[in-house]
């Protein structure tokens, strides 16, 4: 498809026409002084005159703030426009311009599908512990105060490119991405998903930026207001006269600040030191939050081009396994044709990369995906027409051979209790006790057959009862997960990792996947219907194998939320629900 990608600012229209088949840029341009010399409608007539030799198939719009309403890109409708308008209070400088561009393009190209791609969407599945501020819950809910995050299109793109460069699946990597330009943000990307990011309700929070302060004590703001500064004064200070510009007293241009620092300018030196310190602090924090990191990625104008800032930020991380390479850093050059370069030694266990961001290409690809999905949904044989059986999964344990022998004796074997829904899997008669720092859960069933590594799956309610912070993970992704003690009739085993809250997922036979139009590793949004309470679950992983039978697995907490698991006990491993089923609403292809 040829996608017109539009990025409307308060006084400009930046555009590209991108072929998603070849990833080539067929046309690009910038129309400035919109609102002074021309209207948005007139700007788009100029744009279309430039593109009249190209057949356009759809339009993708960058929209800065999608609030809580959008976890993915969305086909633009009147309802979507209203939701974007509702977010103007969060992004008063950006969303009105984005809306003006949407309205002008809809008028100029009424026959083409138009898609909104949100800066906030990549962060839409952040866990509540990262997304929410520690203020009164009722006020936060009423006013929409929470962490939304920004630069999501860039963070998502460079994470994908880093995984391709490292030749590893994105869903196996823990990444820290730093978008460093005039606006700066950091993101913790755990197995393909944003689990934390430095920008918050607005783009003001987090890292030190070109003209924005980043993190600041809210008490300082209240102090300024009490000293007589107006709200507009403080807004202008924090957004336009802080960061590198405010501290250096010179400019937001890093090149000018670095030149002054070399000449002995102390404020310029302090600005650089503070910028670097904030970036390094977030790297350390996100590494701790994810239980480790596989790669650190720098992108954006500063990340891609400043050799000295990369060196300052990435040095002295040897303790975590990152061995910075000054020669590779000096030689690193990235472009759209060569988007990634390594800036660490080959022996480094934690990799460091520079990646060229390409938000326009990402917007074009997401637009294509939404349009294709819409075409599929209009097909009578669409996703919604296919029902998926549901099973509620209680807590259970998978053991390797050595651990099983320690718990049950060297000559013990798993004894069959009953078959499970997935072919070849069974619940055994053997049970273990889970012992946590706070409480214990006795009688947790072991599943068979034995596996290559240990895994203990519990619900969120169970983890709080045990007193352990268990991460939400795909089954089998236990690296860096929580510890747990297992007690059996013959002994005890202290697992240093292995306890997880299993991510909701759908097992599919390859024939089912073909009918649904999905692949292994795709993520889908699923509607649970037919039970006492209809519910939509996002971010559901698709797992495909010829050995699987079609079935969606949710844990007891999720079953309770949908009022599906009344009468389901912790004794049973998988309880089929025969009065409700699931249907796929939307899908997101794996990176």
């Amino acid at each position: 498809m040829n996608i017109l990608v539009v990025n409307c600012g308060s006084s400009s229209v930046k555009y590209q026409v991108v072929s998603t088949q070849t990833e080539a840029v067929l046309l690009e341009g910038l129309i400035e002084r919109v609102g002074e010399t021309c209207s948005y409608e007139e700007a788009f007539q100029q744009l279309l005159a430039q593109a009249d030799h190209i057949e356009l198939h759809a339009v993708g719009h960058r929209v800065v703030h999608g609030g809580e309403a959008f976890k993915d890109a969305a086909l633009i409708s009147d309802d979507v426009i209203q939701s974007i308008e509702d977010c103007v209070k969060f992004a008063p400088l950006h969303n009105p311009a984005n809306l003006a561009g949407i309205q002008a393009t809809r008028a100029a190209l009424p026959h083409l599908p138009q898609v909104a791609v949100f800066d906030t969407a990549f962060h839409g599945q952040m866990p509540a512990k990262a997304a929410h501020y520690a203020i009164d819950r009722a006020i936060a809910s009423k006013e929409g105060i929470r962490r939304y995050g920004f630069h999501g299109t860039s963070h998502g793109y460079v994470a994908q490119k880093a995984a391709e460069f490292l030749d590893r699946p994105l869903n196996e990597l823990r990444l820290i991405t730093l978008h460093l330009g005039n606006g700066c943000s950091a993101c913790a990307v755990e197995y393909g998903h944003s689990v934390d990011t430095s920008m918050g309700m607005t783009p003001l929070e987090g890292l030190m930026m070109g003209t924005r302060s980043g993190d600041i004590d809210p008490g300082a703001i209240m102090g300024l207001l009490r000293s007589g500064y107006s709200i507009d004064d403080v807004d202008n200070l924090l957004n336009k006269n802080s960061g590198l510009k405010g501290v250096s007293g010179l400019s937001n241009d890093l090149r000018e600040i670095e030149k002054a620092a070399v000449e002995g300018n102390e404020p310029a030196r302090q600005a650089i030191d503070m910028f670097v310190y904030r970036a390094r602090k977030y790297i350390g924090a996100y590494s701790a939050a994810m239980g480790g990191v596989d790669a650190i990625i720098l992108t954006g104008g500063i990340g891609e081009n400043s050799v000295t800032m990369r060196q300052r930020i990435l040095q002295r991380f040897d303790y975590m396994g990152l061995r910075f390479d000054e020669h590779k850093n000096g030689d690193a050059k990235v472009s759209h044709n060569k988007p990634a370069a390594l800036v660490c030694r080959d022996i480094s266990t934690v990799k460091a990369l520079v990646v060229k961001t390409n938000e326009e290409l990402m917007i074009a690809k997401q637009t294509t995906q939404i349009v294709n999905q819409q075409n599929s949904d209009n097909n009578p044989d669409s996703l919604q027409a296919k029902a998926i059986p549901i099973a509620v999964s209680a807590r259970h344990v998978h053991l390797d051979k050595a651990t099983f022998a320690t718990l049950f004796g060297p000559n013990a074997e798993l004894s069959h209790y009953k078959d499970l829904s997935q072919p070849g899997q069974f619940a055994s008669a053997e049970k273990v006790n889970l012992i946590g720092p706070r409480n214990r859960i006795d009688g947790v069933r072991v599943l068979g057959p034995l596996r290559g590594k240990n895994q203990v799956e519990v619900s969120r309610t169970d983890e709080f009862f045990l007193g352990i912070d268990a991460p939400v993970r795909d089954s089998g992704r236990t690296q860096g997960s929580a510890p747990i003690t297992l007690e059996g009739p013959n002994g005890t085993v202290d697992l240093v990792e292995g306890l997880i809250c299993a991510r909701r997922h759908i097992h599919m036979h390859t024939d089912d996947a073909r009918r649904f139009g999905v692949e292994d590793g795709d993520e889908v949004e699923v509607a649970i219907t037919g039970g006492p309470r209809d519910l939509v679950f996002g971010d559901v992983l698709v797992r495909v194998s010829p050995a699987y039978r079609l079935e969606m697995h949710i844990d007891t907490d999720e079953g309770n939320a949908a009022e599906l698991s009344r009468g389901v006990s912790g004794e049973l491993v998988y309880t089929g629900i025969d009065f409700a089923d699931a249907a796929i609403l939307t899908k997101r292809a794996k990176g």
Side-chain angles (χ1 to χ4, degrees), residues 152-466:
T153 308
S154 177
H155 288 297
Y157 178 81
V158 299
Q160 287 182 13
K161 286 299 176 183
E164 292 171 11
F165 181 85
L166 296 172
D167 196 24
R168 292 182 61 184
L170 181 58
N171 65 4
E172 291 183 358
L173 293 170
R174 294 165 296 175
L175 306 173
I176 298 171
T177 57
L178 289 92
H179 181 106
L180 306 177
N182 191 48
C184 301
S185 65
C187 184
V189 184
E190 186 175 42
Y191 305 128
H193 297 87
S194 169
V195 295
D196 203 351
T197 189
S198 57
M199 285 181 169
M201 187 179 84
T202 73
L204 184 57
E205 187 183 358
L207 299 176
M208 183 174 169
M209 305 176 223
T211 64
R212 298 180 204 142
S213 65
D215 292 336
I216 186 172
D217 181 356
I221 299 170
M222 290 184 282
L224 289 170
L225 295 173
R226 292 187 180 115
S227 296
Y229 290 86
S230 69
I231 292 175
D232 288 342
D233 290 338
V234 175
D235 189 310
N236 190 63
L237 168 68
L238 298 180
N239 278 292
K240 297 181 179 179
N241 289 296
S242 294
L244 288 171
K245 179 182 179 183
V247 176
S248 71
L250 297 171
S251 166
N252 63 324
D253 189 327
L254 180 64
R255 293 166 296 185
E256 183 178 339
I257 296 171
E258 287 185 315
K259 181 175 182 294
V262 170
E263 295 169 351
N265 185 301
E266 191 56 36
R269 291 177 175 179
Q270 183 180 348
I272 292 170
D273 287 344
M274 290 175 63
F275 185 96
V276 169
Y277 177 77
R278 293 275 187 95
R280 289 177 54 80
K281 185 169 74 170
Y282 268 93
I283 291 172
Y286 287 164
S287 177
M290 293 189 291
V293 61
D294 297 298
I296 300 168
I297 299 109
L298 273 63
T299 190
I302 294 173
E304 295 168 20
N305 299 303
S306 178
V307 173
T308 57
M309 291 301 275
R310 291 198 301 258
Q311 189 270 339
R312 288 174 178 271
I313 291 169
L314 295 173
Q315 66 181 343
R316 295 191 297 115
F317 280 122
D318 300 57
Y319 70 91
M320 67 163 59
L322 170 56
R323 309 293 291 275
F324 183 72
D325 191 312
E326 292 186 10
H327 297 293
K328 287 183 179 179
N329 181 50
D331 294 338
K333 299 289 187 293
V334 291
S335 65
H336 292 316
N337 293 326
K338 183 189 174 187
L342 211 61
V343 292
C344 62
R345 297 173 63 185
D346 292 340
I347 62 170
S348 183
T349 55
V350 173
K351 304 300 183 184
L353 297 88
V354 183
V355 178
K356 177 78 172 176
T357 193
N358 193 338
E359 294 170 277
E360 291 80 11
L361 177 59
M362 193 69 161
I363 291 171
K365 286 187 171 183
Q366 291 187 30
T367 298
T368 299
Q369 182 179 327
I370 293 295
V371 171
N372 288 339
Q373 181 178 297
Q374 177 69 13
N375 293 336
S376 173
D377 290 349
N378 290 332
N379 189 313
D381 190 29
S382 64
L383 299 179
Q384 291 94 325
K386 303 179 179 69
I388 300 171
I390 304 168
V392 177
S393 171
R395 65 186 77 100
H396 57 272
V397 177
H398 299 280
L399 299 177
D400 64 23
K401 186 175 181 180
T403 303
F404 181 79
T406 301
L407 295 172
F408 293 95
N411 298 317
E413 295 184 1
L414 277 178
S415 50
H416 186 278
Y417 172 66
K418 72 170 187 177
D419 289 328
L420 299 178
S421 58
Q422 296 306 314
Q425 299 183 26
F426 62 91
S428 74
E430 286 72 28
K431 300 178 183 179
V432 297
N433 303 325
L434 309 183
I435 302 174
R438 182 178 177 189
N439 286 302
R440 59 187 286 146
I441 299 175
D442 293 339
V444 179
R445 198 172 293 280
V446 179
L447 302 193
L450 296 175
R451 291 190 175 184
K453 61 181 177 180
N454 301 304
Q455 179 172 298
V456 182
E457 297 183 25
V458 297
S459 69
R460 292 279 288 162
T461 298
D462 290 339
E463 66 158 334
F464 277 99
F465 181 76
L466 291 167

Side-chain angles (χ1 to χ4, degrees), residues 5-218:
V5 177
V6 177
N7 182 359
C8 284
S10 58
S11 62
S12 65
V13 176
K14 183 181 178 182
Y15 63 91
Q16 282 189 5
V17 178
V18 179
S19 167
T20 53
Q21 184 174 6
T22 65
E23 300 189 357
V25 176
L26 307 179
L27 178 71
E28 62 182 325
L30 174 67
I31 301 171
E32 298 184 284
R33 299 180 67 188
V34 178
E36 296 180 33
T37 60
C38 65
S39 65
Y40 281 99
E41 290 76 10
E42 291 168 335
F44 274 92
Q45 291 304 320
Q46 294 179 38
L47 186 163
L48 294 177
Q50 293 293 319
D52 63 354
H53 62 290
I54 302 173
E55 182 182 6
L56 301 175
H57 301 110
V59 183
H61 295 268
R62 181 199 179 198
V63 179
V64 167
H65 214 305
E68 294 190 67
F70 300 102
K71 306 289 191 294
D72 285 300
L75 192 71
I76 292 174
S77 64
D78 291 342
D79 289 341
V80 169
I81 288 174
Q82 182 59 56
S83 295
I84 296 172
E85 288 178 349
D86 292 342
C87 293
V88 165
K89 64 180 181 180
F90 299 126
L93 299 179
H94 299 93
N95 274 30
N98 301 154
L99 283 165
I102 289 171
Q103 299 288 20
T105 314
R106 289 182 95 193
L109 299 168
H111 59 290
L112 289 186
Q114 314 234 358
V115 174
V117 179
F118 301 91
D119 278 18
T120 50
F122 182 64
H123 310 295
Q125 299 291 344
M126 270 191 300
K129 61 188 177 184
H132 293 279
Y133 295 112
I135 66 171
D136 180 272
R137 178 183 291 272
I139 293 175
S141 177
K142 177 184 176 183
E143 301 298 333
I145 298 172
R146 55 158 288 169
R147 182 180 308 282
Y148 295 101
F150 299 89
H151 291 148
T153 308
S154 177
H155 288 297
Y157 178 81
V158 299
Q160 287 182 13
K161 286 299 176 183
E164 292 171 11
F165 181 85
L166 296 172
D167 196 24
R168 292 182 61 184
L170 181 58
N171 65 4
E172 291 183 358
L173 293 170
R174 294 165 296 175
L175 306 173
I176 298 171
T177 57
L178 289 92
H179 181 106
L180 306 177
N182 191 48
C184 301
S185 65
C187 184
V189 184
E190 186 175 42
Y191 305 128
H193 297 87
S194 169
V195 295
D196 203 351
T197 189
S198 57
M199 285 181 169
M201 187 179 84
T202 73
L204 184 57
E205 187 183 358
L207 299 176
M208 183 174 169
M209 305 176 223
T211 64
R212 298 180 204 142
S213 65
D215 292 336
I216 186 172
D217 181 356

Side-chain angles (χ1 to χ4, degrees), residues 506-563:
I506 300 173
H507 289 287
M508 285 191 185
H509 188 275
T510 47
D511 293 338
D512 295 314
R514 192 176 304 112
R515 286 193 293 270
F516 279 95
V518 296
E519 298 179 1
D520 186 60
D522 283 354
E523 297 170 5
V524 294
E525 185 178 71
V526 176
I528 307 293
T529 58
R533 180 186 179 195
D534 290 347
L535 203 63
V536 174
F537 288 124
D539 200 28
V540 181
L541 177 69
V542 175
R543 303 174 63 187
V544 179
S545 169
Y548 289 156
R549 183 174 74 86
L550 182 64
E551 191 171 61
M552 179 176 176
H553 287 182
I554 59 178
D555 70 20
T556 50
D557 288 341
E558 294 164 335
N560 287 333
E563 299 181 18

